[in-house]
């Protein structure tokens, strides 16, 4: 998915700068840094759970932390639900 025109790359030297540059090289585009208002904030603790209506890809629940490497972006997948 191409970034929207409101996406801008950040030049800050955060701990994720090297990782972000690597991902940008792989994808061939800058990662969006414009954080959506409705998204969970970076640093939020989350639990990733398996969707009971679909057997994948997560078989077990696990804990995680929302990273600030790039702003969340919609993912297009045939398995994704609307919204």
């Amino acid at each position: 998915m191409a970034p929207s025109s409101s996406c801008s790359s950040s030049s800050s030297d955060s701990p994720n700068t090297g990782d972000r540059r690597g991902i940008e090289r792989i994808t061939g585009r800058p990662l969006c840094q414009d954080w959506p208002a409705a998204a969970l904030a970076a640093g939020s603790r989350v639990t990733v759970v398996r969707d009971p209506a679909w057997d994948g890809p997560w078989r077990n629940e696990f804990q995680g932390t929302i990273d600030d490497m790039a702003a969340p972006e919609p993912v297009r997948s045939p398995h994704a639900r609307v919204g």
Side-chain angles (χ1 to χ4, degrees):
M1 166 182 269
S4 70
S5 59
S6 65
C7 285
S8 62
S9 184
S10 173
S11 61
S12 68
D13 288 327
S14 75
N16 293 321
T17 300
D19 291 340
R20 185 178 63 246
R21 287 183 185 145
I23 296 297
E24 289 174 340
R25 256 186 240 120
I26 291 168
T27 61
R29 66 177 180 83
L31 292 175
C32 187
Q33 296 299 306
D34 299 328
W35 209 267
L40 291 172
S44 297
R45 294 289 297 159
V46 296
T47 300
V48 178
V49 298
R50 186 179 73 80
D51 182 343
W54 182 50
D55 193 29
W58 316 120
R59 301 244 183 249
N60 299 310
E61 292 184 1
F62 58 92
Q63 302 295 309
T65 303
I66 302 295
D67 193 295
D68 66 350
M69 179 170 46
E73 296 182 47
V75 175
R76 297 195 188 280
S77 168
H79 300 291
R81 293 182 182 174
V82 175

